[in-house]
Amino acid sequence: MKLLFKLFLLFFFAININACSSVPEGARKMDIRIEDLSFANINNTEGFKICFNVHHSSFEPMPLEQIKIQIFVNGKEAALYTDNKKKLLPNRVNNRFDLFIDANKLSSVAKNSLKKTPMLQIKAKAIVSLIVDEDLDDPDSKFNQSAEFEGVIHASAN
C-alpha cells in the first residue's frame, strides 16, 4: 500500500512540474531578424529607431519575461532599453517591433553632435535579446534568443 501511495505521489508531482513550465509543450526557438537601425529625434529627444521581426512556429504563443536592446556606437554603449512586462508572443506570424530608444547612455555633447551633424556616419551595433526565462539553470532558458546587427548608420538632418 505504501509503495502504491509513493508511486501516486511521484506521478502527481511529475505531472505538476510539467504543468508549471512556462514554455508550451513542443515549443520551438524564435527567429529574430533586425531589419533596420537608424538615428532618430522624436519630441526633441535624440535616440535610435530599431525595427526587428520575431517569428516562431510553436503550437502556442511564447511567453516572454523581458525584451532587452543594447545599442553601441563606435564600441561604446549608447542606449539601453529593457521591457520587463510579461507578454505572450503570438505564434506562426511575423511579429514586427518598431521601437524608439532614447540615447540614454550618451553624454549631452554626443547627443548634440547627432543632432547638428547631418552628414555623420558612425559604426553601430545593436543586440536584441528576448528572454523567456532569466534563470539560466531553468530548462526554459534554452529558448532565450539574441540577434545582432552591425553596420554604419547615418545621421539625418533634423
Side-chain angles (χ1 to χ4, degrees):
M1 185 70 173
K2 285 184 179 181
L3 179 62
L4 185 60
F5 181 71
K6 286 181 182 179
L7 287 174
F8 172 77
L9 284 178
L10 183 63
F11 177 76
F12 177 77
F13 286 120
I15 288 175
N16 282 337
I17 288 172
N18 193 20
C20 293
S21 177
S22 63
V23 174
E25 189 172 325
R28 297 186 180 135
K29 289 186 178 183
M30 299 171 282
D31 177 41
I32 308 169
R33 285 180 298 137
I34 300 174
E35 303 288 333
D36 187 41
L37 176 65
S38 60
F39 290 119
N41 181 321
I42 296 181
N43 295 330
N44 209 19
T45 301
E46 298 302 321
F48 303 89
K49 283 183 83 174
I50 188 166
C51 172
F52 62 96
N53 287 308
V54 181
H55 183 84
H56 74 98
S57 55
S58 300
F59 296 118
E60 297 177 35
M62 181 70 77
L64 290 179
E65 280 189 9
Q66 183 184 74
I67 298 173
K68 181 178 177 182
I69 301 171
Q70 295 172 282
I71 299 175
F72 299 87
V73 171
N74 290 336
K76 294 183 180 179
E77 190 172 32
L80 175 64
Y81 171 83
T82 305
D83 180 356
N84 290 317
K85 294 179 197 144
K86 293 184 180 185
K87 56 183 75 67
L88 288 175
L89 188 69
N91 57 320
R92 299 184 183 204
V93 295
N94 281 329
N95 299 283
R96 184 178 174 90
F97 293 84
D98 288 304
L99 300 173
F100 171 76
I101 301 171
D102 177 24
N104 53 11
K105 299 287 184 174
L106 288 180
S107 67
S108 60
V109 173
K111 285 183 183 182
N112 279 334
S113 71
L114 296 179
K115 186 188 296 186
K116 300 188 186 221
T117 316
M119 299 301 286
L120 187 64
Q121 297 180 4
I122 294 180
K123 182 179 174 185
K125 177 180 176 181
I127 302 171
V128 175
S129 301
L130 301 179
I131 310 299
V132 174
D133 197 321
E134 287 184 294
D135 181 6
L136 297 178
D137 293 332
D138 191 303
D140 290 347
S141 68
K142 71 180 180 183
F143 292 97
N144 296 350
Q145 292 293 301
S146 291
E148 279 189 30
F149 171 87
E150 201 164 340
V152 175
I153 59 175
H154 307 272
S156 58
N158 292 315

